[in-house]
């Protein structure tokens, strides 16, 4: 409020300043400005301190390929996107489960668990059983911590199942996550299916592969496995013989354990003895400076004798209730009330009523009810900001107060920023307290959430939240019509699919009564409709992503012939809207190749994988994990063709890259080390001028640029350039790198004249210093050519496009498809300059290369024929134009028949495109041909 901070605030800041890694933002001024400053600081912390290690891949790279950083991250494990949200949820569940400082006499159970690990194989899974709230999750999480501490060679894979019907209880996602964990530890990277049935088949094979390589035990722990729907069916791998060094531990509630599993060796958690009860309650009371009298302790001892009043959750809740009354209230009175509660649900009800009584108005009591009910009926929980939007009358002060009490008393907890019930019994109590009318009340609250997330969709706000909640809510409401409409929102389906929620997506389609083929056709029709309104580079890139997602989805469904056309369309758009050498083009080539592999068309697949490898090497350098991905794919392909020697060579090369990348992700490597070096530089006021210091400055410039902090980036890049010129001389290739990076930065800021001057200097140095086919030279040529074109300096762009053709010919030979793409780019430029005569032989040569490389019916051949048709038409040769256009359309129709519909393309797949003018229809060509 523009006032100087009070003494208490100053004291708070002094206390916080002593805390390790604390970040203090001292701000005086307007609220919005302060909020923005906090946002910027948090964003910086997330990017640098949390995601920092991932940025090592960019060290020393040119900024010229800055857009490469936007390439999708889904190739980390085969072709499956690692769902960071699901993983974060599991990490938080583990931390929350192990939060208690009380061991509750777990030592005897730890010994039994240790015996299981040491026992000779074969051994069935161990069942940890107990009543609700008996401490199973706490026991397992504490034991995991001990194992991690004392047995570093033991690999532990855990999964904590949350509420039934939540994402954490979906069997396909659990198996996918565990399989990816196995792949992560084995470095055995290969395409992984999303199909739930196939996942279930493949998981034991992955377990076998890793167990053969791993020096030590592998322990798989699944907590609350009985909360998984149809657990016996979806976890049938548990009854198969396990590899000798693999042990499995699962926890279940006594009442809901499947009958067949009851024969397994079982560790049953007994009710707490009074010594442990007293210890737990004392710990809670002492934290609030409350001391019980001897008489009160005796009363508790008499009460806590049954199985339901001696379980860990009940006793914890009891201790918190007494501590909450504290020195202000009547402990005897609250004890009397607690003694009337014979189970956890009734004690939760007492807790809720005490919170209700503490509220000042009926309005606040009503809001408490709304918050608990809306969280309960959701799929995965609700965020604070969503609650504020759902209930505009809810102020942040009231919300903060309510959530503090609900969290303190074990009703609610946070998971990935969402509020959810801490225990199943808390939700059962809320249903008893607020939802006596049953399904009607639940349906009304679900409808409120439906309206909220539907409003978000209508505003084009498709987030992971709306994708997670809305289809699920429609499914619960049995509203098939709205579910169907929601699924045809391409961004909702894309969000679910790309996060690996394949089984969930499939189950929704099955509910609306659609088989695989009709589902594919409906998606494709929706995409064609969406494409009609796509204009501009950004929307076309988005469209390419949607086509790719559809192609991959169809591939996973086993609809290989239908998968080709959307993947091909995605490739065409990316080559057009981005650049033929862009990493996203490599992504399209890789996906298309994957379909051909499954289709047993190995020749086509090899050609595409090689192109993807070439682009990735040029974009990232030969030692990048994305290069390893292409090497692995090629190795798998060669193995299928019995070319074992070639496969082994590629596997070794890939393994070395992955090994190096894994080492770089160590805690003292990557961004952390870079920042440490930067701080040393700053402390020494840059000290001496050295090539190493100049390189560090360049790296920092690149990183700030990627964070969109252009002013700081410019400062570091300029200092790097100046130091390199002093130390190495102005003609050194390292100076060209700094010039190239600064040029890219000015290009981003739309300072085209400055960018032009710097690119020209960088090109001059690289032409003199580097080999004529060097990738760095090719990049500068490409970016300067694009800049000239953007500035309308077409005459200056021509020699650079010609040089690009020369470089590719030297790199790949004169008959490589990459050369054809460069020829098309040059031809397009000539057409823009009205030099059709010069363009014609370039198109014809490109056509010959494409036909020889891909065959006469490939889409690239079709697109080049179409461009040639336009050229012939404009030169007045209508008969030839009609003939060429007819051939192009035949190829296009053959391609779209694979999908069962026509996918009219307005963009070329080759280079910068020279698209058909809207006035030129097939009928016009025919008329001129007849005339």
């Amino acid at each position: 409020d523009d006032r100087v901070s009070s003494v208490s605030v100053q004291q708070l800041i002094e206390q916080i300043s002593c805390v390790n890694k604390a970040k203090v933002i001292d701000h005086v001024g307007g609220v919005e400005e302060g909020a923005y400053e906090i946002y910027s600081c948090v964003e910086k912390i997330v990017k640098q301190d949390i995601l920092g290690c991932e940025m090592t891949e960019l060290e020393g790279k040119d900024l010229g390929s800055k857009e490469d950083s936007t390439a999708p991250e889904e190739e980390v494990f085969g072709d499956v996107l690692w769902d960071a949200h699901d993983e974060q949820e599991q990490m938080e569940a583990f931390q929350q489960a192990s939060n208690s400082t009380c061991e509750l006499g777990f030592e005897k159970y730890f010994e039994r668990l240790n015996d299981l690990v040491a026992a000779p194989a074969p051994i069935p899974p161990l069942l940890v059983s107990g009543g609700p709230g008996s401490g199973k999750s706490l026991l397992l999480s504490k034991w995991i911590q001990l194992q991690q501490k004392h047995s570093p060679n033991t690999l532990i894979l855990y999964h904590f199942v949350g509420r039934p019907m939540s994402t954490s209880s979906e069997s396909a996602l659990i198996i996918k996550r565990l399989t990816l964990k196995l792949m992560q530890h084995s470095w055995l990277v290969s395409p992984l299916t999303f199909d739930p049935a196939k996942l279930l088949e493949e998981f034991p094979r992955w377990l076998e592969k890793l167990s053969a390589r791993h020096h030590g035990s592998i322990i798989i722990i699944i907590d609350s496995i009985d909360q998984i729907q149809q657990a016996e069916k979806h976890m049938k791998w548990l009854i198969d013989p396990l590899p000798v060094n693999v042990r499995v531990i699962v926890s279940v509630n006594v009442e809901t354990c499947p009958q067949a599993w009851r024969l397994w060796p079982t560790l049953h958690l007994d009710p707490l003895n009074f010594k442990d009860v007293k210890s737990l309650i004392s710990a809670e009371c002492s934290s609030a400076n409350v001391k019980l009298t001897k008489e009160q302790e005796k009363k508790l001892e008499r009460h806590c004798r049954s199985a339901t009043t001696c379980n860990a959750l009940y006793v914890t809740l009891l201790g918190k209730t007494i501590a909450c009354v504290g020195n202000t209230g009547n402990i005897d009175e609250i004890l009397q009330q607690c003694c009337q509660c014979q189970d956890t649900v009734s004690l939760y009800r007492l807790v809720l009523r005490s919170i209700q009584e503490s509220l000042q108005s009926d309005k606040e009591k009503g809001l408490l009810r709304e918050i608990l009910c809306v969280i309960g009926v959701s799929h995965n929980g609700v965020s604070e900001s969503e609650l504020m939007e759902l209930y505009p009358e809810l102020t942040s002060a009231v919300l903060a107060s309510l959530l503090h009490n609900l969290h303190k008393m074990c009703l609610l907890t946070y998971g990935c920023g969402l509020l959810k019930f801490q225990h199943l019994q808390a939700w059962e109590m809320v249903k008893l307290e607020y939802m006596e009318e049953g399904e009607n009340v639940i349906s009304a609250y679900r409808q409120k959430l439906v309206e909220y997330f539907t409003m978000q969709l209508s505003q084009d706000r498709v987030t992971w939240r709306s994708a997670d909640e809305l289809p699920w809510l429609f499914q619960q409401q049995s509203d098939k019509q709205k579910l169907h409409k929601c699924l045809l929102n391409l961004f909702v389906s894309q969000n679910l699919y790309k996060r690996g929620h394949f089984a969930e997506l499939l189950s929704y389609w099955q509910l609306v009564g659609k088989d695989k083929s009709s589902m594919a056709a409906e998606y494709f029709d929706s995409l064609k409709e969406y494409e009609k309104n796509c204009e501009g580079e950004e929307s076309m890139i988005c469209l390419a992503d949607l086509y790719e997602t559809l192609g991959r989805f169809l591939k996973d469904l086993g609809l290989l012939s239908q998968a080709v056309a959307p993947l091909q369309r995605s490739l065409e758009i990316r080559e057009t809207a981005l650049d033929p050498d862009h990493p996203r083009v490599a992504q399209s080539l890789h996906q298309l190749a994957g379909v051909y592999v499954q289709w047993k068309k190995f020749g086509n697949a090899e050609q595409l994988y090689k192109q993807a490898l070439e682009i990735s090497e040029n974009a990232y350098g030969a030692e990048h994990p994305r290069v390893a991905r292409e090497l692995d794919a090629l190795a798998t392909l060669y193995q299928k063709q019995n070319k074992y020697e070639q496969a082994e060579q590629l596997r070794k090369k890939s393994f070395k890259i992955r090994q190096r990348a894994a080492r770089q992700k160590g805690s003292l490597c990557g961004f952390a080390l870079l920042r440490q070096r930067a701080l040393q530089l700053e402390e020494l006021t840059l000290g001496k001028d050295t090539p190493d210091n100049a390189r560090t400055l360049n790296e920092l410039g690149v990183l700030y640029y990627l964070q969109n902090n252009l002013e700081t980036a410019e400062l570091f890049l300029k200092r790097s350039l100046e130091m390199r010129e002093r130390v190495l001389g102005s003609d050194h290739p390292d100076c060209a790198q700094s010039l190239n990076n600064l040029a890219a930065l000015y290009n981003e800021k739309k300072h085209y004249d400055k960018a032009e001057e710097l690119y020209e200097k960088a090109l001059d140095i690289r032409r003199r210093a580097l080999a004529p086919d060097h990738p760095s030279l090719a990049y500068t040529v490409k970016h300067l050519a694009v800049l000239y074109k953007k500035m309308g300096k077409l005459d200056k762009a021509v020699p650079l496009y010609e040089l690009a053709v020369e470089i590719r010919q030297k790199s790949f030979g004169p008959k490589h498809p990459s050369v054809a793409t460069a020829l098309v780019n040059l031809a397009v430029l000539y057409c823009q300059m009205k030099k059709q005569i010069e363009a014609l032989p370039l198109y014809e040569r490109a056509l010959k290369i494409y036909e020889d490389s891909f065959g006469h019916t490939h889409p690239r051949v079709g697109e080049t024929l179409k461009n040639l048709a336009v050229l012939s038409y404009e030169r007045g040769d209508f008969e030839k134009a009609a003939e060429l256009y007819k051939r192009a359309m035949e190829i296009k129709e053959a391609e779209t028949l694979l999908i069962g519909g026509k996918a009219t393309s307005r963009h070329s797949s080759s280079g910068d495109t020279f698209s058909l003018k809207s006035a030129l229809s097939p009928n016009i060509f025919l008329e001129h041909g007849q005339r």
Side-chain angles (χ1 to χ4, degrees), residues 247 426 529 610 770 783 814 870:
R247 301 289 180 271
E529 199 60 38
K610 282 180 174 176
L770 303 175
H783 288 290
V870 174

Side-chain angles (χ1 to χ4, degrees), residues 12-213:
L12 177 66
I13 288 174
E14 283 167 22
Q15 287 175 340
I16 290 170
S17 298
C18 304
V19 178
N20 184 31
K21 288 192 175 180
K23 311 279 183 186
V24 179
I25 304 164
D26 198 356
H27 172 261
V28 176
V31 174
E32 286 187 13
E33 187 187 324
Y36 179 74
E37 198 166 317
I38 292 165
Y39 176 87
S40 302
C41 182
V42 173
E43 184 182 40
K44 187 176 175 186
I45 293 164
V46 170
K47 284 182 176 175
Q48 294 184 0
D49 295 2
I50 300 172
L51 304 176
C53 291
E54 300 302 317
M55 294 184 178
T56 54
E57 296 164 356
L58 301 160
E59 289 180 7
K61 292 294 290 178
D62 278 354
L63 282 180
S65 55
K66 180 250 181 181
E67 70 270 22
D68 301 348
S69 66
T70 64
E73 289 298 324
E74 47 205 275
E75 51 267 43
V76 182
F77 299 101
D79 293 317
V80 181
L81 186 69
W82 180 265
D83 193 331
H85 173 267
D86 288 351
E87 191 55 31
Q88 177 70 14
E89 186 177 49
Q90 283 304 308
M91 287 164 64
E92 287 183 14
F94 171 65
Q95 287 161 0
Q96 285 176 8
S98 58
N99 262 345
S100 172
T101 51
C102 298
E103 297 295 346
L104 302 175
F106 279 168
E107 291 79 8
K108 60 184 177 185
Y109 301 130
F110 290 155
E111 285 175 24
R112 180 76 192 278
L113 291 168
N114 292 338
D115 291 343
L116 169 85
V117 177
I123 185 166
L126 176 73
L127 210 60
V128 175
S129 76
S134 57
K136 301 181 291 293
S137 305
L138 178 62
L139 168 68
L140 291 175
S141 57
K142 291 287 185 186
W143 186 70
I144 290 169
Q145 287 177 327
L146 287 172
Q147 286 293 314
Q148 288 170 337
K149 185 177 178 184
H150 299 302
S151 307
N153 286 336
T154 299
L155 170 61
I156 299 178
L157 307 179
Y158 61 79
H159 189 92
F160 288 81
V161 178
R163 206 177 78 185
M165 296 200 299
S166 67
T167 299
S168 65
S169 70
E170 288 175 19
S171 57
L173 287 177
I174 295 170
I175 296 296
K176 187 202 82 168
R177 181 177 167 270
L178 294 175
T179 306
L180 287 173
K181 284 283 189 185
L182 291 172
M183 290 170 77
Q184 183 185 24
H185 285 281
S186 66
W187 291 349
L188 290 168
V189 178
S190 69
L192 181 66
T193 178
F194 275 156
D195 187 312
K198 288 180 183 172
L199 261 177
L200 203 54
E201 283 175 26
E202 288 180 10
F203 177 68
R205 291 175 202 153
W206 277 106
L207 200 52
E208 191 75 52
K209 280 181 189 176
L210 181 56
S211 68
R213 287 165 165 251

Side-chain angles (χ1 to χ4, degrees), residues 722-739:
E722 288 160 8
M723 191 181 288
R724 281 173 165 171
E725 285 177 338
R726 286 195 297 271
V727 175
L728 304 168
S730 58
D731 289 339
H732 194 277
D734 284 3
C735 292
Q737 185 191 52
S738 292
L739 287 163

Side-chain angles (χ1 to χ4, degrees), residues 441-716:
V441 181
I442 291 173
S443 182
Y445 280 108
R446 283 193 178 135
Q447 188 56 35
K448 190 168 184 70
L449 284 174
V450 163
E451 287 165 9
Y452 171 73
F453 287 113
T454 303
M455 183 187 70
Q456 284 197 344
L457 285 196
S458 68
Q459 298 167 350
D460 291 331
R461 285 168 63 194
V462 179
T463 62
W464 67 272
R465 287 290 297 131
S466 50
D468 265 2
E469 293 289 334
L470 200 51
W472 183 85
L473 287 164
F474 286 137
Q475 183 190 44
Q476 298 306 305
Q477 300 280 62
S478 299
D479 193 334
K480 294 181 183 181
Q481 193 177 348
K482 285 183 180 172
L483 175 59
H484 188 203
K485 186 181 174 185
C486 180
L487 293 173
L488 288 176
N489 181 312
L490 299 163
F491 294 99
V492 170
S493 293
Q494 183 188 47
N495 192 299
L496 284 169
Y497 174 79
K498 292 191 81 172
R499 287 169 41 234
H501 294 222
F502 178 87
E504 187 182 341
L505 192 53
L506 213 52
S507 71
Y508 293 145
W509 276 106
Q510 285 165 354
L511 184 71
V512 297
K514 300 288 179 180
D515 63 12
K516 291 179 182 181
S517 296
S518 57
M519 174 174 63
E522 286 195 30
Y523 269 137
F524 202 71
D525 288 343
S526 289
L527 253 177
K528 286 191 288 182
E529 199 60 38
Y530 177 78
E531 185 171 356
K532 289 176 185 175
N533 301 313
C534 281
E535 288 178 5
E537 185 179 302
E538 198 174 318
S539 63
M540 291 308 293
I541 293 167
C542 177
L543 178 66
D545 290 345
L546 289 169
Y547 269 117
E548 185 189 278
T549 303
L550 176 59
R552 292 176 62 178
F553 184 50
L554 298 178
K555 182 182 84 170
D556 283 327
L557 287 169
L559 304 172
L560 299 182
S561 59
Q562 281 114 309
V564 171
L567 288 173
Q568 183 65 51
R569 185 74 189 108
S570 172
L571 173 63
E572 292 170 14
I573 295 167
R574 282 175 177 166
E575 285 182 326
T576 299
L578 296 167
D579 184 281
D581 292 328
H582 194 282
R584 287 199 178 209
V585 173
Q587 168 75 6
S588 286
L589 292 164
H590 180 93
Q591 295 300 339
L592 201 49
V595 175
Y596 285 127
V597 169
Q598 284 190 28
W599 219 350
K600 304 275 191 293
K601 295 189 175 184
F602 297 137
N604 298 42
E606 183 177 0
Q607 183 71 36
L608 293 167
Y609 277 141
K610 282 180 174 176
Q611 281 180 263
L613 175 63
E614 172 200 315
I615 292 170
S616 297
E617 283 180 334
N618 285 337
Y620 300 113
E623 301 298 315
H624 194 279
R626 284 193 180 91
V627 172
R629 177 186 80 145
E630 303 307 337
L631 292 168
D632 277 323
L634 267 171
T636 304
L637 179 65
Y638 287 143
Q639 202 162 342
K640 286 178 185 291
Q641 296 172 284
N642 300 326
K643 298 176 181 177
Y644 298 114
E645 197 174 324
Q646 287 168 274
E648 187 58 28
Q649 284 175 350
L650 295 176
R651 287 245 188 261
K652 283 178 180 173
K653 196 174 173 184
S654 164
F655 185 77
K656 282 180 183 174
I657 294 171
R658 292 189 186 283
Q659 213 171 21
R660 199 174 294 114
R663 278 199 294 267
Q664 282 178 343
K665 286 182 181 177
S667 58
L668 274 176
C669 286
F671 195 76
L673 181 61
L674 194 57
R675 288 179 67 227
Q676 193 180 335
R677 281 160 59 195
L679 286 170
Q680 289 168 354
L681 282 174
E682 294 299 326
E683 285 165 12
L684 298 168
T685 334
L686 290 179
K688 292 186 292 185
D689 285 356
T690 67
D692 267 358
N693 287 353
R695 185 165 61 85
T696 300
L697 287 167
N698 179 68
E699 289 165 346
L700 282 164
V702 171
L703 289 164
Y704 280 117
Y705 176 83
L706 291 170
Q707 292 166 36
N708 214 26
N709 188 342
L710 300 185
E711 280 66 34
T712 310
E714 185 178 355
L715 180 72
F716 278 111

Side-chain angles (χ1 to χ4, degrees), residues 722-872:
E722 288 160 8
M723 191 181 288
R724 281 173 165 171
E725 285 177 338
R726 286 195 297 271
V727 175
L728 304 168
S730 58
D731 289 339
H732 194 277
D734 284 3
C735 292
Q737 185 191 52
S738 292
L739 287 163
N740 196 84
N741 290 348
L742 265 172
L745 184 139
Y746 287 132
N747 189 16
E748 181 89 355
K749 293 171 85 171
K750 297 189 169 47
H751 297 169
Y752 299 133
D753 292 335
K754 284 185 181 178
E756 179 185 4
E757 183 188 346
L758 295 172
Y759 271 138
E760 285 173 347
K761 283 184 184 176
L763 180 60
D764 184 50
I765 295 168
R766 284 179 165 171
R767 261 182 156 158
R768 284 184 278 113
L770 303 175
D773 59 349
H774 196 282
S776 294
L777 175 61
Y779 265 106
T780 306
V781 166
K782 181 178 79 173
H783 288 290
L784 181 55
V786 171
L787 180 66
Y788 281 149
K789 203 167 154 195
K790 195 186 288 183
M791 296 170 76
K793 298 184 177 182
L794 302 186
D795 289 329
K796 293 182 89 170
V798 168
L800 292 181
Y801 275 103
E802 288 172 342
L803 181 57
V805 174
E806 284 176 38
I807 291 171
R808 292 192 187 195
Q809 285 183 157
K810 284 171 184 166
S811 300
F812 312 120
K815 295 182 179 178
H816 194 276
S818 187
V819 174
T821 301
L823 289 165
V824 170
N825 287 344
L826 181 56
V828 168
L829 189 65
Y830 278 138
C831 287
Q832 287 178 338
M833 297 169 74
K834 308 297 180 196
K835 295 185 176 181
Q836 280 84 357
I837 294 170
E838 286 89 338
L840 184 62
L842 300 173
Y843 274 132
E844 287 173 340
R845 189 180 156 203
L847 178 64
K848 179 78 169 70
I849 295 171
Y850 283 141
E851 286 178 334
D852 291 347
S853 301
F854 301 130
H856 290 261
T857 58
H858 193 275
R860 288 197 184 190
V861 172
E863 293 291 350
T864 312
L865 285 166
K866 192 169 70 175
N867 287 349
L868 271 168
V870 174
L871 200 58
S872 300

